[in-house]
Amino acid sequence: MTALPNRDRRAERREATRREILDAAWLIARRDGLTAVTLREIAGRIGMRPPSLYSHFDSKNAVYDAMFAESWQQVIDELSTIDYPDQERAALLTEAEAYFDFATSDLARNQLMNQRVIHDFEPTEAAYAVAVDAYGRMRDFLRGVGVRREADLDLWTALLAGAINQQHANDPSGKRWRRQLPRLVDMFCDEVGIPGPSLRRAK
Amino acid sequence: MTALPNRDRRAERREATRREILDAAWLIARRDGLTAVTLREIAGRIGMRPPSLYSHFDSKNAVYDAMFAESWQQVIDELSTIDYPDQERAALLTEAEAYFDFATSDLARNQLMNQRVIHDFEPTEAAYAVAVDAYGRMRDFLRGVGVRREADLDLWTALLAGAINQQHANDPSGKRWRRQLPRLVDMFCDEVGIPGPSLRRAK
DNA sequence: GTCTATATTCTGATAGAC
DNA sequence: GTCTATCAGAATATAGAC
């Protein structure tokens, strides 16, 4: 009786190559924009020929699909490490700042996640499920501080999206709209009835 | 002494061709996305050969540049026809709805105006000046209802951008975030100290 | 799993005739 | 101002050898 190996070196290597492909794609996307990603350049960067990529991804959009899924997974991972303060308003501000920083730290990623920049790309069901999961966690978090109505969730996402979008468009290297976050969170809390001291007096 | 002609038929025809080119480009952009615009298809649609377009535009990005400028000019034209109510909050809501409707009625246009979808396109000084003009008019309008601080302007643009962005991304054919506008305007007015009755009680 | 070779189509742009 | 001809290159994707 031969013992089964406890590591699958083939699978590990395969996963490593897949990782290299995605990293190269991200590098190109950040440098020249999402639409500038080409199989040719991905291959060139990792010392492969373009057709070899098809052993790992069925198509170029399959690469985008993996990027889409991993972006939303990063949101989940990032937000799940947060140690929230007890006070509701402070917790909301912490959440807002974390998501804002995540979104504004990578324009290409944010475009892939939230804008229809690649017109013929639609996430697969599996990839979309990760985004739905991330949204569900945000909803659970808001429920935890007393926000339950659908319209209030829409309000929250609009406030965040607006600050992020303006930051990208008009002050990509600054903090002009990030500074508005305490104010936006206060406005949100006042509107939906979350009590507590204003976030802008302290400190 | 021969009289000068009071019309320049040559210039008129030239302008008409330029118009045809831009209309074709818009059609493609709306149908398949901004990045799908090609000189080949523009030419095909108006019964020309691709090289002929260079008699009217120096490059493909020059076409985008004209589209950028005319988009911002449309904002100016659109908002300047508005007959605002006297009451400040009502006036702000009218403005917000007009701009929201403008932005959400054409995804490609909004991407060209406000997102960096075409990575190697940067508007010329002349085209950018139109955008600056539009922004100046919005600033003047807000000043007219008592909003003067830079941070308050940033707040206003963030609220609008957020609603527009979420509408595009998550409910492109509906009104889910448009319904939030009265609420958003009320929140804004409360925050910056514009008096008046809530926009959500009446009607 | 990676390669070579290739298919097919498209890209923006220029030269020069008419 | 529009055309033909052409450039020089890039795009995604497939077939089949190794």
Side-chain angles (χ1 to χ4, degrees), chain B residues 1-27:
Chain B
M1 231 179 176
T2 50
L4 281 168
N6 59 356
R7 278 174 57 198
D8 186 341
R9 304 183 72 92
R10 199 170 307 223
E12 282 174 16
R13 183 147 180 92
R14 194 172 162 75
E15 176 52 30
T17 302
R18 192 183 152 88
R19 186 69 261 145
E20 278 192 88
I21 293 169
L22 292 174
D23 286 343
W26 278 119
L27 192 147

Side-chain angles (χ1 to χ4, degrees), chain A residues 177-195:
Chain A
W177 276 269
R178 204 199 124 112
R179 275 187 239 114
Q180 300 272 354
L181 290 179
R183 195 183 196 189
L184 284 166
V185 174
D186 265 339
M187 288 168 68
F188 177 75
C189 291
D190 291 343
E191 172 65 28
V192 304
I194 294 174

Side-chain angles (χ1 to χ4, degrees), chain B residues 90-147:
Chain B
L92 279 164
L93 180 58
T94 300
E95 168 96 349
E97 287 180 339
Y99 184 69
F100 182 95
D101 290 342
F102 176 85
T104 54
S105 67
D106 191 334
L107 170 60
R109 182 176 60 187
N110 194 58
Q111 285 187 332
L112 182 59
M113 292 169 73
N114 295 307
Q115 281 148 13
R116 297 200 50 123
V117 170
I118 301 139
H119 202 267
D120 70 339
F121 164 67
E122 197 133 19
T124 56
E125 213 171 315
Y128 189 66
V130 185
V132 171
D133 184 12
Y135 184 75
R137 284 158 186 264
M138 187 208 68
R139 202 187 48 224
D140 292 344
F141 167 75
L142 285 173
R143 190 165 295 188
V145 296
V147 180

Side-chain angles (χ1 to χ4, degrees), chain A residues 14 49 52 55-56:
Chain A
R14 194 173 163 75
R49 302 295 174 174
S52 306
S55 297
H56 300 272

